[in-house]
């Protein structure tokens, strides 16, 4: 008895451990495209490709905040309306039919982006426009557009600097809004955007170093624009091979798009991250994995017999005979008053 | 007033307020204008121009070096201009507008047969009706799927045009609008074909209709496209543009437009009269020397390269090697042709009239020469389709590239920052000469007051007083002659035809020439009106005023139409600087006549034909000159071209002033 009791205790402890190490940290995503105008088609295609990948790996729309600065699918210049392609053979329509854009067109501003990150949002904002994260969430932030040394251009009229971004992440850390954060940026001189981070648990990737331009890819004469940027094109190819059970880790992601393919030199930063990148799975950030572990251990549950149960409260009804008698009385009085001959109108 | 602030008279001894100097000058028996170092207390430090000693030194320097500086400056200006065709000053063209990007379009136009059949029908109907077949055009455009409208216009010309033999011109324009399927009609592009009595352009009309049919089947248009066929060439285009923009600049009577499509972003005009072409020639110079944005030309050039079409500018091929001497020399020829065409201020095609409304436009001409390799209508259609597809991507008006430039070749340009110094050097000559005259006038004034008056004598007012009185008469008379030259020919054409057996157009031209030559007889008559006290300085003051007047005019002209400014400066500046009553009078007279505006026009006509490798004989040249005069006057009245008023009211009076200076006393 004592032995089974001890075994039982131990088994609970083991199950709890299992729960901790394979814990379901909910992953949240923010994907931002910051460029307007038809000739920046490729930035929207970039963002939608990443969106499509994370949805395929299991993250629901409620956990994704998608910000697109311009509408390419319904632009009058689009010869294939309601589609956004990422490959010039038009194999992959990344717009799909279940895309949910949370911030669209002129709503993609620096202020809105920072409010989404820090959570300082007016109470009337709908839930789909909020980042509902807590201190157990792993967040992926993907940004693309036109950038320079230390800034990213929003909407052709304003910029966000790397210092603002670093401060926003610090606010997130202090408000316990993330557990781990992966920041990917595909712009010119993208590495300058992660230089100033100082909050813990942030890993960052960029498509080019300071002084380099990120190049576009996939020129398509039928549509008339470039369809993708190089870095995101190869990241998408890499992600297409990930399934929810794959064990590829971050080191593989760092190898995506070497200089020979990308022409620019992708960079990454892991010094703020507490875990070793080779132990970090891609699916920690890109997918929502609830791993099911079959165990053959038995867990015995104790009976809580000492606990008293309160008597249940039942509704009270009058007894049935009483009601029958009452109705008989009513009918008798009726026929007494009006005569028995009216019975034929009733029956 | 502080002594230091007074403008010191050159050499005046009194009133300076510097004890040392005053003492020294009073101590001298005959004060000369050569100042000595005063032994008194030191002078306070003064600026370069207000210090009399230093001013004197500067003045002497300028006077001594004036002639060499003038010659150097003039040669520098001409040399700078000639160097514009050479590599450091020319740059390769590049596409500045990001939205237009590269030639990344897939052209799908295959309607060559359809275009030819439309062209044949159009030519047949036109021959039958003699004018533009409006009903057939309307029917065909409607069948292709456009919204069709017509517009009628009429214009009474100031005098009957000899070349076209018309006095009252009336016609109808036909245009069809292709609405953008998914965008609001806020912006539009125009594709226009001008049809006149001498240039039928039937293949261009056929291609226009075939392209309209092809464009109608595409869904990627974000701007409306207007397909415009005009009658009587540029008169119809002007009528349409005025009605579209709701203005009346030239006195044309045009009916209002019923269909409109939003602000025009760009326009392409096509002139094509043969089924096959060997090359496409592009014309960029517009009315009054305006030019379209360079990006439009870059767009055309990139599509020429993509389609392998042979494209020419000013009828000249592109030089291949710019490292040796041949390329730049050919570039220089093209540059000179462009300068001559731009200076004439004529609209060399419908695009020239669009530019006034800041609509970037080009005219493409199909040339069928004796080359072996020919392109059919499909190739031309594909180039046009690519251009329109790229213009469709525009989000704003074309503004990123240059508006003022010169083109030594289709893929090379010279920007305004690099070519303006040429005119600057030429106008510097006028400035230097004016400065020298000013100083000579002052010295002469000093010589008069050498009586040693200690009072505040400013030698300027007396000289100026004499100068002003004697200046007013020549100025007024010259300006009156200019006014007569501007007004009388057209006003007096009927009187002339009554008295002489000439047509109206000839009468206008001959009156023009007669008044011009009559101006040469003036100086012999004006002197009786003017009484001069100091005859020697009167002409200097007049020449000073004339030089400043010429410099101002040429400067203003060069800013808006560099070619005209440079051409006039290059011819008139030497004659203007050299003119003086002393010296070899016949030589100076010949020089002045040879560089007068009319002679410049004659010379540039010869040069123009020489550069186009179709040289003129003297008789042909004279006929062309007379025709050019008539065209200039006509275009001033019909399109608002400014060459005729500029020359008649601005430069001719100025030139008459120099003629007066030459024959002074």
């Amino acid at each position: 008895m004592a032995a089974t009791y001890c075994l039982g205790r131990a088994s609970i402890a083991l199950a709890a451990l299992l729960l901790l190490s394979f814990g379901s940290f909910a992953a949240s995503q923010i994907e931002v495209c910051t460029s307007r105008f038809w000739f920046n088609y490729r930035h929207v295609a970039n963002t939608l490709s990443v969106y499509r990948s994370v949805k395929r790996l299991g993250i629901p729309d409620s956990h994704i905040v998608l910000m697109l600065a311009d509408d390419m699918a319904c632009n009058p210049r689009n010869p294939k309306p309601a589609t956004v392609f990422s490959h010039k053979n038009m194999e992959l329509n990344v717009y799909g039919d279940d895309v949910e854009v949370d911030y669209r067109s002129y709503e993609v501003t620096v202020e809105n982006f920072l409010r989404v990150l820090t959570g300082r949002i007016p109470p009337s904002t709908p839930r789909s426009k909020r980042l509902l994260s807590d201190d157990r969430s792993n967040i992926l932030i993907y940004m693309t557009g036109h950038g320079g040394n230390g800034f990213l251009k929003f909407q052709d009229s304003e910029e966000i600097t790397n210092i603002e971004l670093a401060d926003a992440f610090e606010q997130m850390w202090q408000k316990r809004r993330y557990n781990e954060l992966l920041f990917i940026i595909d712009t010119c001189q993208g590495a300058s955007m992660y230089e100033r981070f100082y909050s813990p648990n942030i890993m960052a990737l960029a498509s080019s170093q300071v002084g380099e331009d990120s190049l576009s890819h996939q020129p398509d004469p039928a549509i008339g624009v470039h369809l993708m940027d190089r870095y995101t094109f190869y990241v998408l190819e890499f992600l297409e091979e990930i399934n929810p059970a794959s064990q590829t880790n971050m080191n593989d992601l760092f190898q995506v798009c070497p200089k020979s393919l990308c022409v620019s030199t992708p960079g990454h930063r892991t010094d703020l991250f507490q875990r070793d990148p080779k132990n970090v799975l891609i699916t920690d950030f890109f997918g929502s994995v609830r791993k099911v572990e079959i165990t053959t251990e038995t867990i015995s549950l104790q009976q809580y017999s000492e606990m008293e149960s309160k008597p249940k409260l039942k509704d009270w009804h009058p007894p049935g005979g009483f009601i029958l008698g009452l109705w008989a009385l009513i009918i008798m009085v009726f026929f007494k008053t009006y005569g028995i001959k009216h019975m034929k109108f009733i029956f | 007033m502080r002594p230091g602030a007074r403008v010191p008279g050159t050499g005046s001894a009194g009133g300076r307020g510097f004890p040392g100097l005053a003492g020294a000058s009073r101590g001298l028996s005959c004060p000369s204008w050569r100042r000595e170092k005063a032994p008194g207390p030191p002078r306070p430090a003064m600026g370069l121009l207000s210090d009399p000693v230093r001013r004197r030194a500067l003045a002497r320097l300028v006077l001594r070096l004036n002639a060499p500086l003038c010659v150097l400056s003039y040669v520098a200006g001409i040399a700078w201009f000639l160097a514009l065709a050479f590599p450091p000053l020319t740059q390769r063209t590049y596409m500045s507008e990001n939205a237009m990007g590269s030639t990344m379009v897939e052209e799908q136009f295959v309607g060559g047969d359809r275009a030819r059949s439309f062209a044949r029908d159009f030519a047949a109907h036109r021959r039958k009706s003699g004018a533009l077949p409006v009903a057939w055009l309307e029917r065909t455009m409607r069948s292709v799927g456009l919204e069709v409208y017509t517009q009628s216009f009429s214009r009474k010309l100031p005098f009957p045009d000899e070349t076209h033999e018309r006095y009252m011109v009336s016609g109808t324009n036909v245009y069809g609008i292709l609405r953008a399927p998914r965008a609001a009609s806020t912006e539009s592009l125009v594709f226009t074909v001008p049809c006149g009595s001498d240039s039928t352009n039937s293949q261009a009309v056929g291609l226009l209709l075939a392209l309209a049919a092809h464009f109608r089947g595409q869904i990627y248009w974000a701007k409306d496209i207007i397909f415009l066929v005009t009658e009587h060439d540029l008169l119809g285009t002007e009528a349409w543009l005025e009605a579209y923009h709701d203005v009346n600049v030239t006195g044309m009577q045009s009916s209002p437009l019923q269909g409109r499509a939003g602000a025009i972003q760009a326009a392409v005009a096509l002139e094509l009269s043969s089924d096959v072409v060997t090359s496409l020639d592009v014309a960029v110079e517009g009315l009054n020397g305006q030019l379209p944005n360079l990006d439009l030309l870059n767009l055309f050039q990139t599509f020429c390269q993509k389609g392998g079409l042979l494209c020419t500018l000013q009828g000249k091929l592109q030089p291949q090697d710019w490292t040796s001497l041949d390329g730049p020399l050919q570039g220089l020829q093209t540059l000179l042709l462009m300068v001559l065409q731009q200076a004439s201020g004529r609209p060399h095609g419908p695009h020239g009239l669009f530019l006034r409304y800041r609509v970037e436009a080009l005219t493409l001409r199909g040339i069928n020469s004796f080359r072996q390799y020919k392109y059919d209508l499909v190739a031309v259609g594909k180039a046009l389709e690519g251009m329109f597809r790229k213009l469709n991507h525009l989000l704003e008006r074309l503004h990123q590239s240059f508006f003022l430039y010169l083109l030594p070749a289709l893929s090379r340009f010279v920007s305004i920052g690099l070519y303006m110094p040429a005119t600057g050097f030429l106008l510097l000559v006028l400035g230097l000469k004016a400065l020298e005259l000013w100083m000579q006038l002052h010295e002469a004034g000093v010589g008069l007051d050498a009586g040693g008056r200690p009072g505040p004598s400013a030698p300027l007012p007396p000289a100026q007083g004499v100068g002003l009185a004697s200046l007013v008469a020549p100025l007024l008379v010259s300006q009156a002659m200019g006014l007569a030259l501007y007004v009388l020919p057209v006003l007096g054409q009927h009187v002339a035809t009554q008295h002489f057996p000439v047509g109206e157009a000839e009468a206008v031209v001959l009156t023009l020439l007669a008044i011009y030559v009559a101006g040469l007889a003036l100086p012999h008559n004006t002197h009786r009106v003017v009484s001069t006290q100091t005859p020697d300085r009167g002409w200097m003051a007049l020449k000073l005023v004339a030089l400043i007047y010429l410099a101002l005019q040429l400067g203003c002209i060069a800013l808006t139409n560099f070619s005209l400014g440079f051409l006039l400066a290059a011819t008139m500046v030497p004659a203007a600087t050299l003119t003086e009553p002393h010296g070899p009078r016949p030589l100076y007279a010949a020089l002045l006549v040879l560089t007068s505006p009319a002679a410049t026009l004659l010379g540039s006509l010869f040069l123009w034909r020489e550069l186009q490798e179709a040289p003129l004989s003297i008789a042909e040249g004279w006929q062309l000159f007379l025709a050019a005069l008539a065209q200039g006057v006509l275009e001033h009245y019909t399109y608002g071209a400014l060459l005729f008023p500029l020359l008649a009211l601005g430069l001719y009076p100025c030139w008459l002033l120099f003629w007066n200076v030459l024959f002074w006393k």
Side-chain angles (χ1 to χ4, degrees):
Chain A
M1 183 64 181
T4 50
Y5 176 78
C6 286
L7 205 58
R9 281 272 182 194
S11 63
I12 293 169
L14 197 57
L17 259 171
L18 283 169
L19 210 58
L20 274 169
S21 61
F22 293 94
S24 64
F25 290 109
S28 298
Q29 319 273 325
I30 305 180
E31 278 133 25
V32 184
C33 158
T34 57
S35 305
R36 297 193 70 75
F37 307 138
W38 173 246
F39 57 86
N40 290 323
Y41 183 103
R42 59 189 187 276
H43 297 142
V44 171
N46 289 349
T47 317
L48 285 172
S49 311
V50 175
Y51 172 80
R52 189 189 160 282
S53 304
V54 303
K55 270 186 83 164
R56 189 177 56 82
L57 290 171
I59 300 197
D61 274 315
S62 56
H63 279 81
I64 304 180
V65 176
L66 179 62
M67 305 169 93
L68 295 181
D70 202 355
D71 179 13
M72 297 307 168
C74 298
N75 194 307
R77 295 169 180 83
N78 194 347
K80 312 235 177 297
T83 59
V84 173
F85 288 105
S86 66
H87 194 281
K88 68 175 174 229
N89 293 340
M90 305 218 219
E91 300 158 350
L92 199 56
N93 172 17
V94 292
Y95 201 65
D97 49 4
D98 62 344
V99 64
E100 191 181 290
V101 183
D102 302 306
Y103 285 85
R104 62 193 67 207
S105 188
Y106 289 105
E107 293 167 7
V108 178
T109 58
V110 174
E111 180 183 345
N112 281 347
F113 176 61
L114 292 176
R115 283 186 186 280
V116 162
L117 284 181
T118 55
R120 300 183 200 281
I121 278 188
S124 56
T125 316
R127 283 177 79 80
S128 61
K129 287 191 168 182
R130 293 176 193 248
L131 178 67
L132 305 160
S133 62
D134 54 9
D135 62 326
R136 286 155 52 91
S137 310
N138 296 341
I139 302 189
L140 165 72
I141 299 184
Y142 174 83
M143 303 184 77
T144 181
H146 287 290
N149 191 356
F151 66 92
L152 171 64
K153 183 175 78 156
F154 266 69
Q155 295 272 11
D156 214 36
S157 61
E158 50 179 7
E159 298 154 357
I160 187 171
T161 57
N162 48 4
I163 301 174
E164 283 177 335
L165 201 55
D167 288 342
F169 287 164
E170 176 66 14
Q171 286 187 53
M172 286 173 81
W173 174 253
Q174 298 203 358
K175 293 173 78 164
R176 303 281 182 266
R177 278 171 72 76
Y178 71 91
N179 175 41
E180 285 170 349
L181 197 140
L182 175 64
F183 176 75
I184 304 183
I185 184 160
D186 187 351
T187 64
C188 301
Q189 310 196 47
S192 62
M193 289 303 282
Y194 60 61
E195 276 171 3
R196 302 292 196 128
F197 294 165
Y198 54 92
S199 318
N201 283 352
I202 300 185
M203 189 178 339
L205 282 106
S207 60
S208 57
Q209 301 294 329
V210 175
E212 287 180 347
D213 288 339
S214 286
L215 299 178
S216 54
H217 201 42
Q218 302 291 310
D220 184 355
I223 300 185
V225 287
H226 287 278
L227 294 185
M228 281 282 266
D229 277 329
R230 282 178 187 255
Y231 182 69
T232 311
F233 181 76
Y234 290 106
V235 166
L236 180 63
E237 260 187 12
F238 173 79
L239 288 176
E240 287 287 304
E241 289 154 25
I242 308 280
N243 56 53
S246 53
Q247 299 288 312
T248 29
N249 54 37
M250 279 298 165
N251 274 344
D252 301 324
L253 187 59
F254 294 158
Q255 306 304 320
V256 163
C257 209
K259 194 171 166 90
S260 54
L261 286 174
C262 257
V263 187
S264 57
T265 318
H268 55 89
R269 178 179 181 178
T270 51
D271 56 317
L272 296 166
F273 207 73
Q274 281 166 9
R275 291 193 283 156
D276 193 352
K278 72 172 189 293
N279 295 333
V280 180
L281 297 180
I282 298 284
T283 50
D284 278 355
F285 287 100
F286 281 88
S288 155
V289 180
R290 273 154 182 75
K291 201 161 171 187
V292 175
E293 176 96 359
I294 310 283
T295 171
T296 52
E297 303 283 336
T298 51
I299 302 172
S300 60
L301 299 169
Q302 292 168 348
Q303 295 220 338
Y304 292 97
S305 52
E306 294 85 36
M307 245 198 288
E308 284 177 346
S309 57
K310 282 167 54 172
K312 284 201 332 191
L313 210 62
K314 275 172 61 176
D315 298 330
W316 180 85
H317 293 287
F322 175 71
I323 295 170
L324 200 61
L326 199 58
W327 272 107
L329 186 63
I330 289 168
I331 288 175
M332 262 179 46
V333 168
F334 172 75
F335 283 115
K336 203 73 200 294
T337 318
Y338 294 106
I340 201 79
K341 64 179 185 286
H342 294 280
M343 265 207 23
K344 68 174 184 284
F345 293 114
I346 302 172
F347 292 111
Chain B
M1 216 173 167
R2 287 188 345 267
R6 262 188 64 219
V7 175
T10 53
S12 81
R16 286 296 307 158
F18 295 108
L21 287 179
S25 57
R26 267 190 238 114
L28 291 171
S29 54
C30 47
S32 74
W33 47 266
R34 187 176 278 278
R35 222 169 255 288
E36 324 241 356
K37 272 282 191 221
R43 285 200 304 278
M46 296 178 71
L48 189 67
L49 288 180
S50 40
D51 180 2
V53 173
R54 289 199 209 132
R55 264 191 83 194
R56 173 84 5 234
L58 201 66
R60 259 181 286 146
L61 193 74
V62 169
L63 286 174
R64 195 172 57 217
L65 289 182
N66 196 294
L69 269 179
C70 282
V71 171
L72 197 67
S73 189
Y74 183 75
V75 169
I78 301 292
W80 188 287
F81 177 75
L82 291 176
L84 286 178
F86 289 81
L89 290 177
T90 69
Q91 302 158 278
R92 289 195 79 96
T93 53
Y94 51 91
M95 190 70 88
S96 302
E97 175 68 55
N98 204 3
M100 289 210 292
S102 58
T103 55
M104 207 169 22
V105 288
E106 215 176 84
E107 296 101 345
Q108 290 159 341
F109 178 65
V110 287
D113 296 325
R114 202 164 177 199
R116 273 190 291 274
S117 77
F118 278 137
R120 272 196 299 273
D121 285 345
F122 177 74
H125 278 92
R126 200 204 161 86
R127 258 196 308 275
K128 204 164 60 178
S129 66
L132 198 69
V134 172
W136 179 84
L137 265 175
E138 271 189 276
R139 236 184 5 252
T140 320
M141 281 190 178
R142 210 164 272 135
S143 74
V144 155
L146 308 175
E147 279 176 32
V148 188
Y149 303 95
T150 57
Q151 183 217 8
S152 58
F153 64 93
S154 73
R155 177 84 162 101
K156 185 162 160 294
L157 296 180
F159 54 88
D161 186 7
E162 247 184 8
T163 48
H164 299 277
E165 283 164 24
R166 54 193 184 189
Y167 193 30
M168 179 80 170
V169 179
S170 61
T172 319
N173 296 331
V174 183
Y175 64 104
I177 306 183
L178 187 150
R179 300 282 180 192
R182 286 175 289 141
S185 297
T186 47
E187 295 173 340
S188 56
L189 303 167
V190 174
F191 181 30
T192 176
V193 171
C195 287
S197 47
D198 49 348
S199 57
T200 50
N201 280 336
S202 20
Q203 274 80 9
V205 172
L207 189 58
L208 178 140
L209 294 168
L211 273 175
H214 175 68
F215 286 175
R216 185 73 176 83
Q218 312 298 324
I219 56 167
Y220 47 67
W221 297 111
K223 304 183 204 292
D224 296 345
I225 307 186
I226 304 179
F227 295 90
L228 172 67
V229 180
T230 59
E231 194 167 7
H232 295 298
D233 291 322
L234 302 186
L235 283 172
T237 317
E238 182 63 32
W240 189 83
L241 280 170
E242 283 190 6
Y244 196 86
H245 292 97
D246 211 13
V247 295
N248 199 341
V249 187
T250 59
M252 178 98 59
Q253 284 117 28
S254 48
S255 65
L257 294 181
Q258 269 122 26
R260 237 186 144 265
I264 307 180
Q265 304 291 94
V268 176
L270 182 68
E271 293 178 13
L272 199 61
S273 305
S274 54
D275 274 345
V276 289
V277 290
T278 53
S279 62
L280 276 177
D281 190 50
V282 63
V284 289
E285 307 85 9
L287 188 65
N288 295 329
Q290 263 190 305
L291 296 169
N293 197 297
L294 192 56
D295 263 340
L296 196 56
L297 194 68
N298 297 340
L299 184 70
F300 170 68
Q301 199 244 335
T302 44
F303 275 100
C304 278
Q305 270 183 342
K306 184 180 184 204
L309 292 172
L310 189 64
C311 293
T312 60
L313 181 70
Q314 318 288 349
K316 297 230 179 262
L317 294 168
Q318 286 222 62
Q320 291 309 316
D321 60 336
W322 286 86
T323 48
S324 71
L325 207 57
D326 296 326
L329 278 181
Q330 198 178 344
L332 186 62
Q333 285 186 355
T334 317
L335 187 74
L336 278 174
L337 274 171
M338 180 176 173
V339 163
L340 289 172
Q341 292 214 330
Q342 196 184 1
S344 71
R346 306 186 62 191
H348 296 278
H351 72 287
L353 299 172
F354 277 88
L355 290 173
R356 201 211 311 257
Y357 304 92
R358 204 62 259 166
V359 173
E360 318 303 336
L362 282 180
T363 299
L364 305 178
R365 283 191 188 102
I367 312 238
N368 195 7
S369 66
F370 297 104
R371 279 176 184 274
Q372 268 192 329
Y373 196 75
K374 300 193 187 276
Y375 306 96
D376 63 344
L377 290 179
V378 177
V380 179
K382 279 193 174 169
L384 285 166
E385 181 193 358
M387 281 179 76
F388 271 91
R389 186 110 192 251
K390 276 291 154 185
L391 287 171
N392 183 40
H393 284 187
L394 280 179
L395 296 145
E396 306 165 296
R397 284 181 188 273
L398 285 167
H399 67 282
Q400 301 275 6
S401 191
F402 298 90
F403 286 101
L404 299 160
Y405 49 88
L406 288 176
L407 297 169
L410 200 54
S411 62
R412 296 277 197 285
F413 76 102
V414 187
S415 82
I416 183 170
L418 290 173
Y419 68 59
M420 220 24 135
T423 323
F425 279 122
L426 293 180
L427 295 179
L428 185 65
V429 175
L430 293 175
L432 283 174
K433 194 71 192 175
L435 197 62
E436 182 195 0
L437 281 171
W438 175 262
M439 288 186 174
Q440 281 177 350
L441 275 174
H442 274 235
E443 280 180 24
V446 163
L448 279 183
D449 306 318
R453 270 176 294 156
S457 71
L460 208 50
Q464 198 73 335
V466 167
L468 275 179
S470 72
L471 282 180
V472 165
L475 274 173
L476 274 183
V477 172
S478 314
Q479 217 49 55
M481 280 303 291
L483 197 65
L485 190 67
Y486 178 67
V487 164
L488 279 184
V490 175
L491 210 58
Q493 54 176 310
H494 298 291
V495 174
T497 46
Q498 277 170 9
H499 293 287
F500 300 98
V502 286
E504 274 98 348
E506 289 170 340
V508 168
V509 171
L510 292 175
T511 319
L512 210 60
L513 285 175
I515 299 180
Y516 195 89
V517 172
L520 297 182
L522 268 183
H524 307 285
N525 299 320
T526 48
H527 281 289
R528 296 183 202 140
V529 185
V530 170
S531 63
T532 57
Q533 296 150 356
T534 49
D536 199 43
R537 283 173 31 237
W539 70 267
M540 285 168 78
L542 181 62
K543 189 173 172 186
L544 179 65
V545 169
L547 280 172
I548 295 178
Y549 189 31
L550 184 65
L552 273 177
Q553 281 191 12
L554 287 178
C556 293
I557 295 176
L559 283 177
T560 51
N561 188 348
F562 164 78
S563 306
L564 184 62
F566 182 80
L567 201 62
L568 289 170
T571 49
M572 289 182 80
V573 158
T577 0
L578 288 174
T579 309
E580 51 183 17
H582 322 296
R585 203 168 269 197
L587 184 68
Y588 285 158
L591 185 66
L592 208 53
V593 167
L594 279 178
T595 56
S596 68
T600 310
L601 179 61
L602 185 63
S604 49
L605 277 175
F606 276 103
L607 181 64
W608 177 57
R609 289 298 287 265
E610 185 68 41
L611 285 170
Q612 281 188 332
E613 288 157 26
L616 294 167
S617 65
I618 305 286
E620 284 175 0
W622 181 253
Q623 288 298 319
L624 194 62
F625 176 61
L626 293 179
L629 285 178
Q631 278 293 309
V633 177
L634 192 63
E635 276 174 10
H636 170 62
Y637 284 98
T638 49
Y639 309 130
L642 290 175
L643 187 66
F644 173 54
L646 266 175
L647 289 184
L649 292 172
L651 283 159
Y652 177 64
C654 201
W655 182 83
L656 271 185
L657 287 177
F658 286 107
W659 189 253
N660 271 338
V661 165
L662 183 61
F663 286 99
W664 191 267
K665 187 124 178 242

